[in-house]
Amino acid sequence: MGAERSNLKVEPDLEPSPRRRWRWRRLLWLPVLFVGFSVLQVLVLRFIDPPVSSVMLWRYGEALGEGDWSYRLHYHWRDLDQMAPSLPISLVAAEDQRFPEHNGFDLQAIEKARDHNARGGRLRGASTISQQVAKNLFLWQGRSWIRKGLEVWYTVLIEALWPKSRILEMYANIAEFGDGIYGAQAASQQYWNMDASRLSPAESARLAAVLPSPRRYSAAKPGPYVQRRAAWIQRQARQLGGGAYLGEE
């Protein structure tokens, strides 16, 4: 009996336990939950103005991490029809001239940027206004494939669920125009002590001109680069047709 007992082999249990199956089901539900949550996020923000954006929170945390306890965020929402007509077309002329035509991704600009970067020199990006809204509103700063993939996903949702006017309105309100200064209204108040509805074409162009590096350049005290770029933006805005290019009367 002892010998027979020693030769017995215990077969491994290949069937997953109920607990293990339950864990796998939970993991499989995560992508579905994320899709539903992100769709709800974008849909709600079509109608509700955000109290803050992810890039504002990120910058605030960065300042506190550096020990800058006096850091303050300046952010005051203004609807698009309460801004000077020169501002939206200035932003489009500066950042994304094919904005009314594309579906979130400017393939022509991407190809041109790729060719330019392949030749060396200063790197050139090709992010559209829609992509910048997706990144600034929902995501974190930095470069990674995960963040880029999420940016693509949110850009698709924004273009599918928002009209172009809402995308441009969101961009004009959450774009950074200076360190801690977000949106055209806050910038107008901080730089010129006036409402965004009173911005002149020159002032609108100067705000758009600092967008590549808003902490480096100043719209209030423009240097030679900002002056040249602002003049170019005004010319481009006129060539595009002004507000009529965006469907404005």
Side-chain angles (χ1 to χ4, degrees), residues 56-110:
M56 295 178 201
L57 294 175
W58 182 277
R59 178 65 186 109
Y60 189 73
E62 185 181 58
L64 295 183
E66 295 171 352
D68 185 4
W69 299 99
S70 63
Y71 182 82
R72 294 291 181 271
L73 292 174
H74 302 279
Y75 168 60
H76 305 286
W77 182 274
R78 278 294 181 276
D79 292 341
L80 203 60
D81 59 6
Q82 295 176 324
M83 298 181 187
S86 58
L87 181 66
I89 188 60
S90 295
L91 296 176
V92 169
E95 296 290 290
D96 184 5
Q97 293 192 6
R98 298 187 67 248
F99 173 72
E101 303 169 6
H102 63 64
N103 293 317
F105 307 95
D106 189 342
L107 301 182
Q108 293 181 16
I110 292 172

Side-chain angles (χ1 to χ4, degrees), residues 9 28 177 198:
K9 295 183 179 179
L28 291 174
F177 291 104
R198 297 173 53 202

